[in-house]
């Protein structure tokens, strides 16, 4: 009788354990990635097809508080929110590099867009370095992409070029996926500016 009571109690505790486990189960983590802005259409009509040129994406620097798996959004003027269950699929600087490579490849019409470190035998004619001071926003509202990009390399006539950028992109919806789409749109717009500068430099050198 005593062993039977113990057995019943054991079963009750086991059921209670599974019920509590279900209640305290961790929420599902969602992962997000940046993508080339395919909905923006094909390469710009006024950009040359530069299949023989090599472009390198050098350094991509982001603020330290963004260098984490969790997606960071603004909670207030002086407060950030780290989304524990909404994360980047890879390192944010790597995601940015991946998208910039794809964007410039589309816009310049070349498959020879590489990222650092590249093969010494394939030193790019143009090197693009990016520094982001802001890469965050508020869900359902807007985000800001702000910083400086630098263009250098043997294909550039004259000293390296530095250009600031400061973009505000409206987020189309309240979700983190909408946020990722808006970031991708901002990087596409930035890529258009850089590709035009590269294309113009090539045209100038060709005329000379």
């Amino acid at each position: 009788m005593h062993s039977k009571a113990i057995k019943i109690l054991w079963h009750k505790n086991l059921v209670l354990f599974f019920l509590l486990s279900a209640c305290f189960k961790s929420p599902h983590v969602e992962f997000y990635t940046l993508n080339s802005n395919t909905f923006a259409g094909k390469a710009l009509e006024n950009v040359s097809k530069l299949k023989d040129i090599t472009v390198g994406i050098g350094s991509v620097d982001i603020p330290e508080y963004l260098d984490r798996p969790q997606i960071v959004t603004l909670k207030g003027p002086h407060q950030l929110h780290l989304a524990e269950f909404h994360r980047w699929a890879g390192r944010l600087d790597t995601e940015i590099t991946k998208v910039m490579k794809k964007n410039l490849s589309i816009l310049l019409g070349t498959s020879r867009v590489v990222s650092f470190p590249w093969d010494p035998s394939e030193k790019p004619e143009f090197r693009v370095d990016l520094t982001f001071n802001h890469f965050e926003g508020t869900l359902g509202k807007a985000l800001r992409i702000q910083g400086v990009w630098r263009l250098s390399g043997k294909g550039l006539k004259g000293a390296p070029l530095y250009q600031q950028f400061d973009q505000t992109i409206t987020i189309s919806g309240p979700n983190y996926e909408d946020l990722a789409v808006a970031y991708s749109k901002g990087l596409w717009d930035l890529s258009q500016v850089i590709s035009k500068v590269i294309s113009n430099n090539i045209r100038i050198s060709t005329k000379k």
Side-chain angles (χ1 to χ4, degrees):
M1 184 73 180
H2 180 67
S3 63
K4 186 176 180 180
I6 292 176
K7 189 174 182 180
I8 293 173
L9 182 62
W10 183 84
H11 280 294
K12 286 183 177 179
N13 287 338
L14 187 63
V15 171
L16 181 61
F17 170 77
F18 282 115
L19 288 174
L20 289 174
S21 297
C23 292
F24 291 102
K25 187 178 180 180
S26 299
H28 179 66
V29 178
E30 299 286 348
F31 293 93
Y32 302 83
T33 185
L34 298 174
N35 282 303
S36 181
N37 196 5
T38 53
F39 57 80
K42 297 180 181 179
L44 301 181
E45 293 180 1
N46 62 336
V47 174
S48 301
K49 298 297 181 180
L50 308 170
K51 63 180 181 179
D52 295 326
I53 196 154
T54 303
V55 178
I57 305 295
S59 60
V60 175
D61 297 321
I62 60 175
E64 187 176 348
Y65 63 85
L66 295 176
D67 189 15
R68 62 186 71 246
Q70 299 93 335
I71 296 180
V72 178
T73 55
L74 294 174
K75 198 173 181 180
H78 306 286
Q79 191 174 11
L80 299 173
H81 173 70
L82 275 64
E84 191 61 42
F85 302 107
H86 298 276
R87 304 186 175 199
W88 295 116
R91 287 176 55 103
L92 181 56
D93 54 355
T94 303
E95 286 285 305
I96 293 172
T97 300
K98 176 196 70 176
V99 171
M100 294 299 293
K101 283 177 61 179
K102 181 64 175 178
N103 288 349
L104 292 178
S105 178
I106 293 171
L107 290 164
L108 294 172
T110 176
S111 60
R112 298 169 62 181
V113 181
V114 297
S115 57
F116 188 83
W118 43 72
D119 192 314
S121 64
E122 195 179 32
K123 191 172 182 180
E125 285 88 352
F126 293 93
R127 171 174 173 151
V128 180
D129 295 284
L130 299 126
T131 299
F132 292 88
N133 299 320
H134 290 280
F135 201 86
E136 67 278 315
T138 304
L139 281 177
K141 294 184 179 180
L143 57 85
R144 185 186 184 193
I145 298 178
Q146 185 272 330
V148 178
W149 60 269
R150 177 181 184 268
L151 182 65
S152 60
K154 61 184 180 182
L156 187 65
K157 301 302 177 181
L161 297 176
Y162 293 83
Q163 187 167 330
Q164 295 186 359
F165 58 90
D166 196 343
Q167 305 163 255
T168 300
I169 301 98
T170 301
I171 303 172
S172 62
N175 303 317
Y176 282 92
E177 185 175 1
D178 301 315
L179 182 75
V181 171
Y183 278 129
S184 298
K185 174 64 167 61
L187 292 177
W188 173 263
D189 293 342
L190 178 60
S191 299
Q192 290 186 84
V193 174
I194 296 172
S195 67
K196 284 181 180 179
V197 174
I198 293 174
S199 181
N200 288 339
N201 270 275
I202 294 171
R203 287 175 184 156
I204 291 172
S205 63
T206 302
K207 287 179 182 179
K208 290 181 179 180

